Amino acid sequence: MTEHCNLKCPYCYQNNFENEGTLTSKSINIIIDYIESVMRNGEQNFYIYFFGGEPLLYKNKILEIKSKIEQIPKINVIFGIGTNSYLLTPEFLNEFNHIIIDTVLTLKEDQDIMRPTKGGNGTYDKIINNLREASKLKNITLNIDYNTHNGNLYDFENFLKLLNQEQIKANIECYYLDNYDFNLNFNNTLNYDDFLKWKSSIAIRLLIKYGFSIKGSPFVPYNFECDGYNEWSIKLFSDTSLGICNATHYNKRIKWNSALKHENIAKHLQQKISNFKENKSKFNSQCQNCSLIGLCKGKIYCHDELCKPMDSYDFDTFINEYIYQTKIGNAKFFTSI
């Protein structure tokens, strides 16, 4: 939707990015043309995800896109949004039959330092209230990321207590905050391997203790590859450049001449990003010969290394924790296995 943002997070991967474009009417028309072209190629089911910057800076444009998409005959669509939730309101959410919300939250002291407004004000009080109100609605799925660093690792239990106290119903996932050399005011001294061990053991125990499901897993069936390899998956930046999926970094965007008309725009745009989609693990000899291919997604385009299987968990630690939790009757909490 935009590369503008209303917050100034010291760790953000876009802090060295100066382009602050917004989605134009022309871009919106391209989105609709693309969807209609995909449907002519035989697809009816869509997941439409709004992201930024902060997409809720342009709520009216989001609702304009939603309205136009829903007017397309025979379409089945699920909507999602990645937002900091500072501008999230029940009025906006009630425009959707159902919407998936991905957001970020930590405890007040950390939240106000790590995710302040551009004017330097804290955001915790407003965002916790917005999430509390959103959680009351029946038409949302709320996913909260706990962005983990050395300063908040040991606050995770109190964070889960807080969510229960505030009656915020959500799926919780722990992520690691990376260091970038241009973010001089942030340095995560938490070792990544130590984070993975914590996430694969202590974090799991705490989530179960407070009644939260374990949504992640190192096990990914081979036939379920990265969503970016979906035949029609595409990311449209606000300047009309292209990527393979929402994870495509802005510095990997692909330019194309959006002024030209194409009879089959769906296939034309997929051809533009085809180089990204050629790295399927089923065509990669290293992946085919690897004993772990049944457990991981194989080679995916956004990893620099050839192979990083199951890099979101420490495999051995997770296995031990899963076996232990299963033995004491907690297997039901592992909803991704």
Coordinates of all heavy atoms in Angstrom, one line a residue, residues 174-215:
C174 N 7.3 -16.1 18.1 CA 8.5 -15.3 18.5 C 9.5 -15.2 17.4 O 9.8 -16.2 16.7 CB 9.2 -16.1 19.7 SG 8.2 -16.3 21.2
Y175 N 9.9 -14.0 17.1 CA 10.8 -13.7 16.1 C 12.1 -13.0 16.6 O 12.1 -12.4 17.7 CB 10.2 -12.8 15.0 CG 9.2 -13.5 14.1 CD1 7.8 -13.4 14.4 CD2 9.6 -14.3 13.0 CE1 6.9 -14.1 13.7 CE2 8.6 -14.9 12.3 CZ 7.3 -14.8 12.6 OH 6.4 -15.5 11.8
Y176 N 13.1 -13.2 15.9 CA 14.4 -12.6 16.3 C 14.7 -11.3 15.5 O 14.4 -11.2 14.3 CB 15.5 -13.6 15.9 CG 17.0 -13.2 16.2 CD1 17.5 -13.3 17.5 CD2 17.8 -12.6 15.2 CE1 18.8 -13.0 17.7 CE2 19.1 -12.2 15.5 CZ 19.6 -12.4 16.8 OH 20.9 -12.0 17.0
L177 N 15.1 -10.3 16.3 CA 15.4 -9.0 15.7 C 16.8 -9.0 15.1 O 17.8 -9.1 15.9 CB 15.2 -7.8 16.7 CG 13.7 -7.5 17.0 CD1 13.7 -6.3 17.9 CD2 12.9 -7.2 15.7
D178 N 16.9 -8.8 13.8 CA 18.2 -8.8 13.2 C 18.9 -7.5 13.4 O 18.3 -6.4 13.5 CB 18.1 -9.1 11.7 CG 17.8 -10.6 11.4 OD1 18.5 -11.4 12.0 OD2 16.9 -10.8 10.6
N179 N 20.2 -7.5 13.3 CA 21.0 -6.3 13.3 C 21.3 -5.8 11.9 O 21.7 -6.7 11.0 CB 22.3 -6.5 14.0 CG 22.1 -6.7 15.5 OD1 21.4 -6.0 16.2 ND2 22.7 -7.8 16.0
Y180 N 21.2 -4.5 11.6 CA 21.6 -4.0 10.3 C 22.6 -2.8 10.6 O 22.4 -2.1 11.5 CB 20.4 -3.4 9.6 CG 19.4 -4.5 9.2 CD1 18.3 -4.7 10.1 CD2 19.5 -5.3 8.1 CE1 17.3 -5.7 9.8 CE2 18.6 -6.3 7.8 CZ 17.5 -6.5 8.6 OH 16.6 -7.4 8.3
D181 N 23.6 -2.8 9.8 CA 24.7 -1.8 10.1 C 24.3 -0.4 10.0 O 24.9 0.5 10.6 CB 25.9 -2.0 9.1 CG 25.6 -2.0 7.7 OD1 24.4 -1.6 7.3 OD2 26.4 -2.4 6.8
F182 N 23.1 -0.1 9.4 CA 22.6 1.3 9.3 C 21.8 1.7 10.5 O 21.5 2.8 10.7 CB 21.8 1.5 8.0 CG 20.8 0.5 7.7 CD1 19.6 0.5 8.3 CD2 21.1 -0.6 6.8 CE1 18.6 -0.4 8.1 CE2 20.1 -1.5 6.6 CZ 18.9 -1.4 7.2
N183 N 21.4 0.7 11.4 CA 20.6 1.0 12.6 C 21.6 1.2 13.7 O 21.8 0.3 14.6 CB 19.6 -0.1 12.8 CG 18.4 -0.1 11.9 OD1 18.1 1.0 11.4 ND2 17.8 -1.2 11.6
L184 N 22.1 2.4 13.8 CA 23.2 2.7 14.8 C 22.6 2.7 16.3 O 23.4 2.6 17.2 CB 23.9 4.0 14.5 CG 24.5 4.1 13.1 CD1 25.2 5.4 12.9 CD2 25.6 2.9 12.9
N185 N 21.3 2.9 16.4 CA 20.7 3.0 17.7 C 20.1 1.7 18.2 O 19.4 1.7 19.2 CB 19.6 4.1 17.8 CG 20.2 5.5 17.5 OD1 21.3 5.8 18.0 ND2 19.5 6.3 16.7
F186 N 20.4 0.6 17.5 CA 19.9 -0.7 18.0 C 21.0 -1.8 17.8 O 21.7 -1.8 16.7 CB 18.7 -1.1 17.2 CG 18.2 -2.5 17.5 CD1 17.5 -2.8 18.6 CD2 18.5 -3.6 16.6 CE1 17.1 -4.1 19.0 CE2 18.1 -4.8 16.9 CZ 17.4 -5.1 18.1
N187 N 21.2 -2.6 18.8 CA 22.1 -3.7 18.6 C 21.6 -4.9 19.5 O 21.5 -4.8 20.7 CB 23.5 -3.4 19.1 CG 24.5 -4.5 19.0 OD1 24.4 -5.3 18.1 ND2 25.4 -4.6 20.0
N188 N 21.2 -6.0 18.8 CA 20.7 -7.1 19.5 C 21.9 -8.0 19.8 O 22.4 -8.6 18.9 CB 19.7 -7.9 18.6 CG 19.0 -9.0 19.3 OD1 19.2 -9.3 20.5 ND2 18.1 -9.7 18.6
T189 N 22.2 -8.1 21.1 CA 23.3 -9.0 21.5 C 22.9 -10.4 21.8 O 23.8 -11.2 22.1 CB 24.0 -8.4 22.7 OG1 23.1 -8.3 23.8 CG2 24.5 -7.0 22.4
L190 N 21.7 -10.7 21.6 CA 21.2 -12.1 21.8 C 21.7 -12.9 20.6 O 21.4 -12.6 19.5 CB 19.7 -12.1 21.9 CG 19.0 -13.5 21.9 CD1 19.4 -14.2 23.2 CD2 17.5 -13.3 21.8
N191 N 22.4 -14.0 20.9 CA 22.9 -14.9 19.9 C 21.8 -15.6 19.3 O 20.9 -16.1 19.9 CB 23.9 -15.9 20.6 CG 24.5 -16.9 19.6 OD1 23.9 -17.9 19.3 ND2 25.6 -16.5 19.0
Y192 N 21.8 -15.7 17.9 CA 20.7 -16.3 17.2 C 20.5 -17.8 17.6 O 19.4 -18.3 17.8 CB 20.9 -16.2 15.7 CG 19.7 -16.7 14.9 CD1 18.4 -16.0 15.1 CD2 19.7 -17.7 14.0 CE1 17.3 -16.5 14.3 CE2 18.6 -18.2 13.3 CZ 17.4 -17.5 13.5 OH 16.3 -17.9 12.8
D193 N 21.6 -18.6 17.7 CA 21.4 -20.0 18.1 C 20.8 -20.1 19.5 O 20.0 -21.0 19.8 CB 22.8 -20.7 18.1 CG 23.3 -20.8 16.6 OD1 22.4 -20.9 15.7 OD2 24.5 -20.9 16.4
D194 N 21.2 -19.2 20.4 CA 20.6 -19.2 21.8 C 19.2 -18.9 21.7 O 18.3 -19.5 22.4 CB 21.4 -18.2 22.7 CG 22.8 -18.6 23.0 OD1 23.1 -19.8 22.8 OD2 23.6 -17.8 23.3
F195 N 18.8 -17.9 20.8 CA 17.4 -17.6 20.6 C 16.6 -18.8 20.2 O 15.5 -19.1 20.7 CB 17.2 -16.5 19.6 CG 15.8 -16.3 19.1 CD1 14.8 -15.8 19.8 CD2 15.6 -16.8 17.8 CE1 13.5 -15.7 19.3 CE2 14.3 -16.7 17.3 CZ 13.3 -16.1 18.0
L196 N 17.1 -19.6 19.2 CA 16.4 -20.7 18.7 C 16.2 -21.8 19.7 O 15.2 -22.4 19.8 CB 17.2 -21.3 17.5 CG 17.2 -20.5 16.2 CD1 17.9 -21.2 15.1 CD2 15.8 -20.1 15.7
K197 N 17.3 -22.0 20.6 CA 17.1 -23.0 21.7 C 16.0 -22.5 22.6 O 15.2 -23.4 23.1 CB 18.5 -23.2 22.3 CG 19.5 -24.0 21.5 CD 20.8 -24.1 22.3 CE 21.7 -25.1 21.6 NZ 22.2 -24.5 20.3
W198 N 16.0 -21.3 23.0 CA 15.0 -20.7 23.9 C 13.6 -20.9 23.3 O 12.7 -21.3 23.9 CB 15.3 -19.2 24.1 CG 14.2 -18.5 24.9 CD1 14.0 -18.5 26.2 CD2 13.2 -17.7 24.3 NE1 12.9 -17.7 26.5 CE2 12.4 -17.2 25.3 CE3 12.8 -17.4 23.0 CZ2 11.3 -16.4 25.1 CZ3 11.7 -16.6 22.8 CH2 11.0 -16.1 23.8
K199 N 13.5 -20.5 22.0 CA 12.2 -20.6 21.3 C 11.7 -22.0 21.2 O 10.5 -22.3 21.2 CB 12.3 -20.0 19.9 CG 11.1 -20.0 19.0 CD 11.3 -19.5 17.7 CE 10.0 -19.6 16.8 NZ 10.2 -19.0 15.4
S200 N 12.6 -23.0 21.1 CA 12.3 -24.4 20.9 C 12.1 -25.1 22.3 O 11.8 -26.3 22.2 CB 13.4 -25.1 20.2 OG 13.6 -24.4 18.9
S201 N 12.2 -24.4 23.4 CA 12.0 -25.1 24.7 C 11.3 -24.2 25.6 O 10.1 -24.4 25.8 CB 13.4 -25.4 25.2 OG 14.2 -24.3 25.3
I202 N 11.9 -23.2 26.2 CA 11.3 -22.3 27.2 C 10.1 -21.6 26.7 O 9.0 -21.6 27.4 CB 12.3 -21.3 27.8 CG1 13.5 -22.1 28.5 CG2 11.7 -20.3 28.7 CD1 14.6 -21.2 28.9
A203 N 10.2 -21.1 25.5 CA 9.0 -20.3 25.0 C 7.9 -21.3 24.8 O 6.7 -20.9 25.0 CB 9.4 -19.7 23.6
I204 N 8.1 -22.5 24.3 CA 7.0 -23.5 24.1 C 6.4 -23.8 25.5 O 5.1 -23.8 25.6 CB 7.6 -24.8 23.5 CG1 7.9 -24.5 22.0 CG2 6.6 -25.9 23.6 CD1 8.6 -25.7 21.3
R205 N 7.2 -24.0 26.5 CA 6.6 -24.3 27.8 C 5.7 -23.2 28.3 O 4.7 -23.4 28.9 CB 7.7 -24.6 28.8 CG 8.5 -25.8 28.6 CD 9.7 -25.9 29.4 NE 10.8 -26.5 28.7 CZ 12.1 -26.4 29.0 NH1 12.5 -25.8 30.1 NH2 13.0 -27.0 28.3
L206 N 6.2 -21.9 28.1 CA 5.4 -20.8 28.6 C 4.1 -20.6 27.8 O 3.1 -20.3 28.4 CB 6.3 -19.5 28.5 CG 7.5 -19.5 29.5 CD1 8.3 -18.2 29.2 CD2 7.0 -19.5 30.9
L207 N 4.2 -20.8 26.5 CA 3.0 -20.7 25.7 C 1.9 -21.7 26.2 O 0.8 -21.4 26.3 CB 3.3 -20.9 24.2 CG 4.0 -19.7 23.5 CD1 4.6 -20.2 22.2 CD2 3.0 -18.6 23.3
I208 N 2.4 -22.9 26.4 CA 1.4 -24.0 26.9 C 0.9 -23.6 28.3 O -0.3 -23.8 28.6 CB 2.1 -25.3 26.8 CG1 2.4 -25.8 25.4 CG2 1.3 -26.4 27.6 CD1 3.2 -27.1 25.2
K209 N 1.8 -23.2 29.1 CA 1.4 -22.8 30.5 C 0.3 -21.8 30.5 O -0.6 -21.9 31.4 CB 2.6 -22.3 31.2 CG 2.3 -21.8 32.7 CD 3.6 -21.3 33.4 CE 3.3 -20.8 34.8 NZ 4.5 -20.3 35.4
Y210 N 0.3 -20.9 29.6 CA -0.8 -19.8 29.6 C -1.8 -20.1 28.5 O -2.6 -19.2 28.2 CB -0.1 -18.5 29.4 CG 0.7 -18.1 30.7 CD1 2.1 -18.3 30.7 CD2 0.1 -17.6 31.8 CE1 2.8 -18.1 31.9 CE2 0.8 -17.3 32.9 CZ 2.2 -17.6 33.0 OH 2.9 -17.3 34.1
G211 N -1.9 -21.3 28.0 CA -3.0 -21.7 27.1 C -2.9 -21.3 25.7 O -3.9 -21.3 25.0
F212 N -1.7 -21.0 25.2 CA -1.5 -20.6 23.8 C -1.0 -21.8 23.0 O -0.2 -22.6 23.4 CB -0.5 -19.5 23.6 CG -1.0 -18.2 24.2 CD1 -0.7 -17.8 25.6 CD2 -1.8 -17.3 23.5 CE1 -1.2 -16.7 26.1 CE2 -2.2 -16.1 24.0 CZ -1.9 -15.8 25.4
S213 N -1.5 -21.9 21.7 CA -1.1 -23.0 20.8 C 0.3 -22.7 20.3 O 0.8 -21.5 20.2 CB -2.0 -23.1 19.7 OG -3.3 -23.5 20.1
I214 N 1.0 -23.7 19.9 CA 2.3 -23.6 19.3 C 2.1 -23.7 17.8 O 1.8 -24.7 17.2 CB 3.3 -24.8 19.7 CG1 3.2 -25.0 21.2 CG2 4.7 -24.5 19.2 CD1 3.6 -23.8 22.0
K215 N 2.1 -22.5 17.1 CA 1.7 -22.4 15.7 C 2.8 -22.8 14.8 O 2.6 -23.2 13.6 CB 1.2 -21.0 15.4 CG -0.1 -20.7 16.1 CD -1.2 -21.6 15.6 CE -2.6 -21.2 16.3 NZ -3.7 -22.1 15.8

